């Protein structure tokens, strides 16, 4: 039985009908590098190693471990993770400098991500150099890294605001130098699904090298853009746990993995560890995801409406796309102001109690008058009310 059948959910049949399944993909999680660029977030070496182990157990293919030239501690951490014996390949960031590649070599990583920006905005205001000067540095660095046996990802920072013909030309030149990937970074999150598809498709027409997509969430479309890039032919999809990262963050790992599973039936990742990993990163980063955060938010499988609760008790598929256990979560039925008698009866029964109709009416009245109603009644509080009714009567 497949994971899909076993966990009883309905995928997107329209996608099946359109035959748009992106099969040849891999995940590169950048939590340890881009995620740590979240203001106020610093992971210890032990925390980074723990996160790496969890990512590896999920089946993530590439882990971007850091930026070694930042500090000696960062370099040591990248090296430690590279030597952990993970199934995932390790990657680190590099500027277009051979000295950065030397740091990567010292760390024993499998892949180096050499980045430059080619947008006019960055060339003028960040580098104060011409595009040709930047590309010349990048190609020299790519050649040096390849000569030293590294996989090379050549990343165009701010690609989404760079002329497409410029990207094509530079990627073709990098391809001649043997790069293993070319990467499109939507650095300020300006893309939408349509423009993402167009950009990846245009590059794919001209370049044979596998394409990576790196989406930021400034407009709240990072997950959608990442999945659309996969449809257009991008191979490597970049994510962070809980979507942490600079400004509004990156494409969340948990959303991308579940999007791949539900929409495209890509089920090679162990999604049951997503909630535990989310809680780990929440603790280490001291950033709590919104309660309504998709997949891992505390309300992702919480139900209060009476109509919903009754249907959930009959068949969870009525109001849940997939079982919470599929992502390591738990269902939570809340008693609150929207809970009717029938739903209340079902919740009480699920807790192992049986109340007569007049007792249920009394319980509903107690719930309505409870000062905790604004936040919903906890299971323990509800059990106290039930026991009080059973003990003292109506």
């Amino acid at each position: 039985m497949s994971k899909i059948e076993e966990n009883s959910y309905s995928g997107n049949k329209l996608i099946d009908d359109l035959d748009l399944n992106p099969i040849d993909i891999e995940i590169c999680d950048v939590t340890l590098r881009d995620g740590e660029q979240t203001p106020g977030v610093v992971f210890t070496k032990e925390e980074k190693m723990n996160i790496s182990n969890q990512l590896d157990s999920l089946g993530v293919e590439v882990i971007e471990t850091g930026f070694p030239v930042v500090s000696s501690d960062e370099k040591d951490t990248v090296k430690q993770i590279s030597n952990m014996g993970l199934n995932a390949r390790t990657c680190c960031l590099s500027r277009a400098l051979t000295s950065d590649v030397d740091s990567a070599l010292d760390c024993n990583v499998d892949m180096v991500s050499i980045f430059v920006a080619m947008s006019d905005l960055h060339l003028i205001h960040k580098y104060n150099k011409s595009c040709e000067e930047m590309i010349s540095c990048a190609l020299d660095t790519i050649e040096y890294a390849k000569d030293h046996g590294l996989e090379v990802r050549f990343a165009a920072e701010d690609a989404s605001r760079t002329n497409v013909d410029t990207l094509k030309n530079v990627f073709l030149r990098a391809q001649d130098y043997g790069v293993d990937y070319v990467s499109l970074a939507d650095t300020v999150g300006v893309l939408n699904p349509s423009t993402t598809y167009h950009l990846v498709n245009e590059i794919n027409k001209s370049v044979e090298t596998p394409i990576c997509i790196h989406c930021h969430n400034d407009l709240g479309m990072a997950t959608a853009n990442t999945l659309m890039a996969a449809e257009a032919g991008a191979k490597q999809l970049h994510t962070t746990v809980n979507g942490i990262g600079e400004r509004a963050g990156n494409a969340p790992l948990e959303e991308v993995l579940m999007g791949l599973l539900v929409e495209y039936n890509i089920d090679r990742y162990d999604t049951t560890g997503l909630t535990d990993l989310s809680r780990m990163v929440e603790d280490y980063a001291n950033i709590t995801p919104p309660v309504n955060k998709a997949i891992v938010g505390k309300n992702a499988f919480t139900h209060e409406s009476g109509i919903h609760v009754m249907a959930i008790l009959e068949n969870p598929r009525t109001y849940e796309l997939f079982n919470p256990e599929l992502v390591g979560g738990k269902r939570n039925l809340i008693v609150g102001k929207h809970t009717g008698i029938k739903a209340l009866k079902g919740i009480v029964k699920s807790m192992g109690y049986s109340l007569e109709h007049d007792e249920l009416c009394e319980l509903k009245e107690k719930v309505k008058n409870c000062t905790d109603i604004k936040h919903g009644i906890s299971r323990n509080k509800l059990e106290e009310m039930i026991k009080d009714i059973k003990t003292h009567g109506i």
Side-chain angles (χ1 to χ4, degrees):
M1 181 181 292
S2 72
K3 187 188 294 186
I4 296 168
E5 295 168 329
E6 182 182 345
N7 288 277
S8 301
Y9 68 80
S10 299
N12 190 334
K13 302 305 181 187
L14 179 59
I15 291 290
D16 293 340
D17 294 341
L18 292 174
D19 192 27
L20 296 174
N21 292 350
I23 302 301
D24 186 23
I25 60 98
E26 65 182 13
I27 300 296
C28 174
D29 189 84
V30 299
T31 302
L32 304 185
R33 199 274 303 168
D34 219 340
E36 198 182 37
Q37 289 174 210
T38 306
V41 172
V42 177
F43 298 125
T44 66
K45 178 170 68 177
E46 290 71 23
E47 288 170 346
K48 284 194 172 189
M49 293 173 73
N50 290 340
I51 293 169
S52 296
N53 268 322
Q54 289 288 96
L55 289 168
D56 195 48
S57 67
L58 293 182
V60 167
E61 289 89 353
V62 183
I63 299 173
E64 189 165 308
T65 54
F67 193 3
V69 297
V70 165
S71 68
S72 58
D73 285 344
E74 177 83 347
K75 184 176 179 179
D76 178 60
T77 298
V78 171
K79 187 172 185 176
Q80 289 282 341
I81 296 171
S82 297
N83 293 327
M84 285 172 63
L86 303 173
N87 291 317
R89 285 132 59 213
T90 54
C91 174
C92 72
L93 197 65
S94 169
R95 295 166 297 179
L97 298 169
T98 55
S99 57
D100 280 22
V101 174
D102 285 334
S103 290
L105 290 165
D106 290 342
C107 292
N108 199 33
V109 294
D110 300 298
M111 181 191 303
V112 64
S113 182
I114 297 169
F115 74 97
V116 294
M118 291 171 271
S119 67
D120 291 340
L121 190 63
H122 278 237
L123 289 171
I124 294 169
H125 296 288
K126 187 170 73 171
Y127 294 130
N128 195 26
K129 290 184 178 180
S130 70
C131 186
E132 186 54 40
E133 286 177 301
M134 292 307 306
I135 300 314
S136 178
C137 292
L139 295 177
D140 287 345
T141 309
I142 289 167
E143 184 175 39
Y144 183 79
K146 291 300 296 182
D147 286 346
H148 286 77
L150 286 169
E151 273 190 278
V152 175
R153 181 174 72 209
F154 176 49
E157 187 184 11
D158 204 29
S160 48
R161 295 189 295 181
T162 301
N163 180 276
V164 175
D165 286 335
T166 298
L167 289 171
K168 288 180 182 179
N169 292 333
V170 175
F171 284 166
L172 285 170
R173 291 170 67 182
Q175 183 172 276
D176 289 340
Y177 278 71
V179 293
D180 300 275
Y181 298 87
V182 293
S183 185
L184 298 165
D186 184 20
T187 301
V188 294
V190 70
L191 291 176
N192 64 44
S194 296
T195 53
T196 301
Y197 190 95
H198 173 75
L199 176 59
V200 174
N201 190 49
E202 282 298 305
I203 299 301
N204 215 15
K205 289 177 184 176
S206 301
V207 180
E208 295 179 0
T209 304
I211 298 170
C212 311
I213 190 72
H214 181 99
C215 294
H216 282 262
N217 205 37
D218 297 73
L219 289 174
M221 290 187 275
T223 298
N225 292 345
T226 300
L227 296 178
M228 189 58 71
E231 278 194 18
K235 176 180 175 66
Q236 189 179 97
L237 316 180
H238 293 191
T239 64
T240 62
V241 179
N242 295 340
I244 63 173
E246 297 180 66
R247 303 181 315 278
N250 296 57
L253 171 69
E254 57 280 359
E255 294 179 16
V256 171
L257 290 191
M258 290 309 297
L260 290 171
L261 176 59
V262 173
E263 302 291 350
Y264 310 108
N265 297 342
I266 295 175
D267 65 352
R268 64 175 177 266
Y269 301 101
D270 182 7
T271 57
T272 60
L274 285 172
T275 297
D276 283 345
L277 176 57
S278 170
R279 301 293 182 263
M280 174 186 285
V281 172
E282 174 184 339
D283 181 46
Y284 292 167
N286 196 29
I287 296 175
T288 303
V291 294
N292 62 339
K293 169 75 175 63
I295 318 300
V296 294
K298 289 183 169 58
N299 282 357
F301 303 98
T302 296
H303 310 272
E304 180 188 327
S305 167
I307 295 172
H308 287 211
V309 169
M310 283 302 297
I312 285 284
L313 290 168
E314 181 69 24
N315 185 335
R317 292 179 66 186
T318 52
Y319 285 102
E320 287 177 351
L321 179 59
F322 49 85
N323 290 340
E325 291 79 13
L326 186 55
V327 295
K330 292 182 179 179
R331 182 176 299 117
N332 186 23
L333 302 181
I334 294 290
V335 175
K337 74 173 187 176
H338 300 105
T339 308
I341 287 290
K342 288 184 178 180
L344 188 59
K345 182 179 180 180
I347 293 172
V348 169
K349 184 178 179 181
S350 73
M351 294 171 62
Y353 294 94
S354 178
L355 295 179
E356 300 297 329
H357 180 74
D358 54 350
E359 291 175 321
L360 282 169
C361 290
E362 174 65 15
L363 180 60
K364 188 174 186 307
E365 195 63 26
K366 282 180 175 287
V367 167
K368 192 182 350 179
N369 294 329
C370 182
T371 56
D372 293 335
I373 193 67
K374 186 170 183 178
H375 305 289
I377 308 299
S378 70
R379 185 183 179 91
N380 289 340
K381 181 69 174 178
L382 185 63
E383 194 164 26
E384 286 178 15
M385 293 178 177
I386 294 170
K387 288 179 178 178
D388 183 64
I389 289 173
K390 283 291 190 183
T391 302
H392 300 105
I394 301 172

